[in-house]
Amino acid sequence: MPRIPPPVLALGAGALQVLLSHSRHSSPGSRFLAGLLVPICLALDFSSIRAFGRQQTTINPIRLDSVSELVTDSANALTRNPMYLSLAGLLIAHALWRRSALALLPAAGFVLLLDKVQIPAEEAALAKAFGQRYGQYQRQVPRWISGRTIQRLMAG
């Protein structure tokens, strides 16, 4: 069964958020909260994409056989899935912007789908390609984000 690229899934989740919260409108407070989250998500995403570019390896999550390097620096030192965490954060920011708890459901569904389908396939491919090196990375860096990681970020 062909997988759908996670950015396409995120766009679908965002569209579903709009449908679920069509009567909701932003407020200054909701725009402020979303505005805090969006630049963090974008920085996380761009940092990881740059790291992949420096290593000259693919960011294509569908072509798992084309990975040539294990990227463990930059945002990938904080979370094994910074691009997915970024997309999830943008969906949460969108729900905040719309002031809709119901709009959080597609964000949760997106995370669940990635966590149960996409990421395990990627982890299996990376374990096959990089063996013990990837296992060590898995033990050191959380799949999503941990409280310890958040503390490190807050400490600067």
Side-chain angles (χ1 to χ4, degrees), residues 28-93:
S30 70
R31 288 190 296 271
F32 176 77
L33 289 174
L36 289 176
L37 191 53
V38 167
I40 293 168
C41 294
L42 294 176
L44 190 65
D45 196 37
F46 293 137
S47 172
S48 183
I49 290 170
R50 277 194 311 273
F52 274 65
R54 280 192 305 274
Q55 295 290 326
Q56 297 180 338
T57 192
T58 184
I59 63 169
N60 184 342
I62 303 303
R63 296 279 327 273
L64 300 178
D65 58 342
S66 62
V67 174
S68 61
E69 293 293 329
L70 179 62
V71 179
T72 60
D73 63 339
S74 195
N76 293 79
L78 303 172
T79 170
R80 294 194 314 263
N81 297 287
M83 292 178 231
Y84 297 162
L85 183 60
S86 173
L87 290 171
L90 291 172
L91 288 169
I92 292 168

Side-chain angles (χ1 to χ4, degrees), residues 78-137:
L78 303 172
T79 170
R80 294 194 314 263
N81 297 287
M83 292 178 231
Y84 297 162
L85 183 60
S86 173
L87 290 171
L90 291 172
L91 288 169
I92 292 168
H94 188 228
L96 289 170
W97 180 281
R98 300 189 72 82
R99 294 184 313 123
S100 173
L102 198 54
L104 288 170
L105 291 176
F110 172 78
V111 169
L112 188 64
L113 185 61
L114 290 183
D115 198 61
K116 300 300 180 196
V117 178
Q118 181 67 34
I119 293 172
E122 290 179 16
E123 288 177 338
L126 291 169
K128 182 178 177 184
F130 301 106
Q132 289 181 337
R133 192 167 148 224
Y134 182 68
Q136 180 180 6
Y137 176 61

Side-chain angles (χ1 to χ4, degrees), residues 16-25 94-95 98-100 102-103:
L16 187 54
Q17 287 179 313
V18 170
L19 292 174
L20 291 172
S21 62
H22 68 279
S23 64
R24 305 292 300 188
H25 301 285
H94 188 228
R98 300 189 72 82
R99 294 184 313 123
S100 173
L102 198 54

